[in-house]
C-alpha cells in the first residue's frame, strides 16, 4: 500500500509541477524572443529613416551598433548596390533573399521562439522609402547567441526552483504517507510479533480513522485470543502428562505386586498389559518433550538468545560411551568417527545431546546385530557442521522417507516406541537454524544427519602436514541451508556429483521410543 500510495502522489505532484513549469518556460522564451525582435526591428527602422533623409548620422550609428552588438548591417540602393556595409555577411543566401523582398516592399516572416540551444543568425530587412516608392533597403544580420544565453539562464533558474520545490514536495509526501499509514505499519509489526510467538502483541488502538481504529482493536483481541489459546494448549499437554503419569505409575506398581500371584494361563495377558503400560509411559514422555520443544521454538523466535555453541565431537564421544551398554545388549557395534579437532556447532550442548540420543536410540533398536556409525565433521568453506548416524538395518522404503518426521509415525517393524522421536529431533534442530536430512543407505540401512551452522566466531584449525587445508570434514557433501529435506535417490546422486563423489548421508532418527 505504501508503494502504491507514493507512486500515485508522486505522479500527481510531478504532473502538477510540469503543468506549472512548462508554460513558464515557454512564456519566458517567447518574451525574450519578442524583446530581441523588437529591438532589432527598431534599429533597422532607425537606419531606414536616416538613409531616407540622407542624414550624416547614418554611418556613425551603424558603426556604433556593429561595435556594440557585433551585428552585420548594410544599406543598399534600389539596384541592390551597397551604400554602407559593416560586419561580415558571409555570403548568406538568406541576406540576398531578404534584400530582394525588402526592395519589393514585402513583409518579413516572423522569427521563431529562441531556445537555450538556438544558434545561428537572424536576418532583419526593411525597405527605404515613403511607402509608395522604394529607393533602397536596410538589412541587419544579428546573432541569436546572446538571447539564447539569456533564455538558458532563465530556464536554469526556473528548473532549479522547480527541483527545490520537488524535493520539498517529496518530503511532504513521504511524511504525509508515513503519518497516514502509521497505524497500518504498527499493525504489520504486531502481526510479525504474533508470528514470532510474542505474547499479547498489542498495537495502539487510538490512531488513524475510525475504520482503522476498529481494525486495530480487533487485532488486539485476536492477539489475546491466540496467546490464550497457545497457553491453554501447552497447559493442557503439561496437565495431561502430569495427571496421567501418577495414575500410570500407581497402576504399574500394582501390576508389579500382582506378578507373583498371576496364574499360568494369565501370564501372557499380564505381560501384554505391562508392555502397553510401558508404551503409554513412553508416549507421555514423548508428548511432553515435544511440547517443550515447540514452546522453546516459539520462545526462541520471539526472544532470540545469545548464540550458544558446543563441541559436537566431544558430545558424540560422550553419547557413544553412554549408549554402548544398550548397544551391546542388542548386539549392535557402535563406531564413532570424529575429527580430533573441535567441531564447534551453534547449538546448546543439552539439545545436541538429546538429538544424538534420539538418533542412536532409533539406530540401535532398528539395526539389531548390526553396526551403527556416527560421524561429526565440519566444512569450513561453507561454515556448516554435520553429525551423521548411519546403520545397516533393514531401512525404510524410499516412499516412506518424507513421512518419517511426522508425529506418531512408526516403522512397520515390531519395535516399541512412541513415533515422536524424529519430530522432537527435527524441532530441536530447526530451533538452532539447522535441518534434518534422511537418506537410504545402499545396499541397506538408513542414515540420519543434522546439519547446523558453525558457532559464531569459530575458526578452522591450522592446517597440519599432509592435510589438504580444507579443515575437518573436507569430504563432507556441500551444505544446504534449506529447511528439512528428504533426499530421494536421484537428487542424492546429483548431490554426490556436486560434492566430487562424497557420500551424502543424513537421516533423522527418532527420540527414545521412535520407530522411523
Amino acid at each position: 500500500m505504501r508503494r502504491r500510495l507514493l507512486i500515485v502522489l508522486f505522479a500527481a505532484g510531478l504532473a502538477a509541477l510540469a503543468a506549472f513549469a512548462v508554460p513558464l518556460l515557454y512564456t519566458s522564451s517567447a518574451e525574450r524572443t519578442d524583446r530581441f525582435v523588437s529591438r532589432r526591428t527598431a534599429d533597422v527602422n532607425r537606419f531606414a529613416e536616416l538613409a531616407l533623409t540622407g542624414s550624416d548620422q547614418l554611418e556613425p550609428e551603424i558603426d556604433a551598433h556593429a561595435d556594440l552588438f557585433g551585428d552585420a548591417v548594410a544599406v543598399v540602393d534600389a539596384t541592390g548596390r551597397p551604400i554602407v556595409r559593416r560586419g561580415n555577411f558571409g555570403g548568406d543566401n538568406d541576406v540576398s533573399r531578404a534584400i530582394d523582398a525588402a526592395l519589393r516592399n514585402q513583409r518579413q516572416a516572423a522569427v521563431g521562439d529562441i531556445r537555450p540551444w538556438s544558434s545561428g543568425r537572424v536576418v532583419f530587412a526593411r525597405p527605404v522609402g515613403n511607402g509608395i516608392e522604394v529607393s533602397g533597403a536596410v538589412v541587419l544580420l544579428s546573432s541569436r547567441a546572446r538571447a539564447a544565453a539569456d533564455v538558458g539562464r532563465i530556464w536554469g533558474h526556473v528548473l532549479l526552483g522547480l527541483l527545490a520545490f520537488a524535493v520539498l514536495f517529496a518530503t511532504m509526501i513521504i511524511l504525509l504517507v508515513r503519518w497516514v499509514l502509521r497505524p497500518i505499519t504498527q499493525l504489520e509489526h504486531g502481526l510479525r510479533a504474533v508470528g514470532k510467538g510474542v505474547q499479547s502483541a498489542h498495537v495502539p488502538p487510538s490512531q488513524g480513522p475510525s475504520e482503522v481504529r476498529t481494525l486495530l482493536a480487533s487485532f488486539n483481541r485476536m492477539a489475546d485470543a491466540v496467546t490464550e489459546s497457545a497457553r491453554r494448549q501447552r497447559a493442557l499437554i503439561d496437565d495431561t502428562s502430569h495427571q496421567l503419569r501418577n495414575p500410570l505409575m500407581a497402576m504399574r506398581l500394582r501390576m508389579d505386586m500382582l506378578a507373583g500371584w498371576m496364574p499360568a494361563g494369565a501370564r501372557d495377558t499380564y505381560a501384554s498389559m505391562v508392555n502397553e503400560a510401558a508404551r503409554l509411559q513412553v508416549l507421555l514422555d514423548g508428548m511432553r518433550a515435544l511440547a517443550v520443544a515447540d514452546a522453546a521454538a516459539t520462545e526462541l523466535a520471539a526472544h532470540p538468545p545469545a548464540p550458544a555453541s558446543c563441541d559436537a565431537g566431544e558430545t558424540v564421544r560422550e553419547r557413544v560411551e553412554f549408549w554402548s551398554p544398550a548397544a551391546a545388549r542388542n548386539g549392535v557395534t557402535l563406531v564413532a568417527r570424529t575429527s580430533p579437532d573441535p567441531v564447534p556447532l551453534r547449538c546448546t550442548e543439552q539439545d545436541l545431546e538429546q538429538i544424538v540420543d534420539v538418533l542412536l536410540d532409533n539406530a540401535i533398536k532398528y539395526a539389531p546385530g548390526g553396526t551403527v556409525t556416527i560421524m561429526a565433521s565440519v566444512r569450513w568453506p561453507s561454515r556448516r557442521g554435520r553429525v551423521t548416524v548411519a546403520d545397516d538395518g533393514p531401512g525404510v522404503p524410499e516412499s516412506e522417507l518424507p513421512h518419517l518426521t511426522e508425529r506418531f509415525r512408526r516403522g512397520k517393524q515390531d519395535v516399541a516406541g512412541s513415533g515422536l522421536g524424529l519430530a522432537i529431533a527435527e524441532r530441536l534442530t530447526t530451533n538452532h537454524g539447522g535441518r534434518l536430512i534422511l537418506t537410504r543407505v545402499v545396499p541397506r540401512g538408513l542414515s540420519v544427519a543434522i546439519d547446523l551452522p558453525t558457532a559464531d566466531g569459530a575458526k578452522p584449525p591450522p592446517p597440519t602436514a599432509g592435510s589438504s587445508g580444507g579443515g575437518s570434514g573436507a569430504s563432507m557433501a556441500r551444505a544446504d541451508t534449506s529447511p528439512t529435506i528428504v533426499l530421494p535417490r536421484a537428487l542424492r546422486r546429483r548431490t554426490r556429483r556436486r560434492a566430487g563423489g562424497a557420500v551424502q548421508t543424513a537421516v533423522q532418527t527418532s527420540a527414545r521410543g521412535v520407530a522411523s
Side-chain angles (χ1 to χ4, degrees), residues 404-418:
L404 291 181
T405 56
E406 296 178 0
R407 300 181 181 185
F408 303 104
R409 186 78 176 197
R410 302 182 60 203
K412 297 181 180 180
Q413 294 87 351
D414 187 14
V415 179
S418 64

Side-chain angles (χ1 to χ4, degrees), residues 447-486:
S447 137
V448 186
I450 58 170
D451 187 271
L452 290 166
T454 58
D456 295 340
K459 298 181 180 180
T464 58
S467 66
S468 61
S472 60
S475 63
M476 189 176 66
R478 186 181 301 274
D480 188 354
T481 57
S482 59
T484 303
I485 294 177
V486 176

Side-chain angles (χ1 to χ4, degrees), residues 32 35 145-155:
R32 184 63 180 88
R35 184 152 38 103
R146 183 175 299 180
D150 292 341
V151 173
R153 184 166 52 254
I154 296 172
W155 280 29

Side-chain angles (χ1 to χ4, degrees), residues 328-349:
R329 287 194 299 269
N330 214 27
V332 174
T333 301
L334 292 181
V335 179
R337 296 177 181 174
T338 60
S339 171
D341 299 317
V343 183
L345 300 184
R346 194 170 65 191
C347 179
T348 62
E349 184 175 359

Side-chain angles (χ1 to χ4, degrees), residues 76-391:
V76 300
D77 58 14
T79 62
R81 186 178 63 194
I83 299 175
V84 179
R85 182 185 177 96
R86 298 290 186 273
N88 181 19
F89 285 91
D92 196 334
N93 293 330
D94 291 340
V95 175
S96 300
R97 288 193 294 269
I99 292 175
D100 292 341
L103 293 176
R104 291 193 298 269
N105 202 14
Q106 293 179 355
R107 183 180 297 275
Q108 183 179 358
V111 178
D113 289 347
I114 298 176
R115 303 285 186 255
W117 52 86
S118 298
S119 60
R121 295 189 292 181
V122 181
V123 179
F124 296 90
R126 185 188 185 283
V128 177
N130 54 14
I132 299 176
E133 182 181 359
V134 177
S135 59
V138 177
V139 60
L140 185 148
L141 191 60
S142 181
S143 174
R144 294 186 179 92
R146 183 175 299 180
D150 292 341
V151 173
R153 184 166 52 254
I154 296 172
W155 280 29
H157 293 162
V158 172
L159 292 177
L160 285 177
L162 184 67
L163 179 61
F165 189 77
V167 172
L168 178 62
F169 187 72
T171 304
M172 293 178 60
I173 286 178
I174 292 174
L175 294 177
L176 178 63
V177 170
R178 184 179 300 176
W179 175 74
V180 170
L181 297 182
R182 184 180 299 170
I184 305 300
T185 303
Q186 292 180 345
L187 180 60
E188 179 185 2
H189 293 166
L191 289 172
R192 291 180 179 177
V194 170
K196 292 180 178 180
V198 177
Q199 298 183 358
S200 301
H202 286 183
V203 295
S206 58
Q207 296 183 359
S210 59
E211 295 83 358
V212 176
R213 291 198 298 270
T214 302
L215 178 62
L216 296 179
S218 300
F219 170 80
N220 290 337
R221 291 193 296 269
M222 181 203 69
D224 292 337
V226 170
T227 300
E228 181 64 18
S229 176
R231 186 192 66 80
R232 289 179 178 273
Q233 183 180 10
R234 289 194 294 269
L236 175 63
I237 295 176
D238 291 340
D239 293 343
T240 301
S241 60
H242 178 74
Q243 294 297 328
L244 289 178
R245 183 178 290 107
N246 292 336
L248 182 61
M249 293 301 297
M251 184 178 66
R252 286 291 305 272
L253 290 174
R254 289 182 173 85
M255 292 175 66
D256 292 340
M257 294 175 62
L258 291 174
W261 299 88
M262 297 299 298
R267 291 189 181 277
D268 292 340
T269 303
Y270 173 79
S272 176
M273 293 174 60
V274 171
N275 291 335
E276 289 299 322
R279 182 174 177 273
L280 182 59
Q281 181 67 43
V282 171
L283 183 61
L284 289 176
D285 293 339
M287 291 178 60
R288 180 167 179 79
L290 185 58
V292 171
D294 287 338
T298 302
E299 185 65 23
L300 288 173
H303 307 287
S309 63
C310 64
D311 183 0
E314 181 179 356
T315 301
V316 165
R317 289 188 289 269
E318 290 179 355
R319 302 323 296 168
V320 167
E321 182 179 358
F322 175 82
W323 283 93
S324 293
R329 287 194 299 269
N330 214 27
V332 174
T333 301
L334 292 181
V335 179
R337 296 177 181 174
T338 60
S339 171
D341 299 317
V343 183
L345 300 184
R346 194 170 65 191
C347 179
T348 62
E349 184 175 359
Q350 180 181 1
D351 287 348
L352 185 60
E353 288 179 352
Q354 187 172 355
I355 296 171
V356 173
D357 285 344
V358 167
L359 303 184
L360 288 176
D361 179 47
N362 269 13
I364 291 172
K365 287 191 303 185
Y366 284 92
T371 302
V372 174
T373 304
I374 179 169
M375 297 170 286
S377 57
V378 61
R379 184 179 178 87
W380 288 108
S382 59
R383 300 192 67 84
R384 303 287 296 187
R386 183 167 295 187
V387 177
T388 305
V389 177
D391 62 69

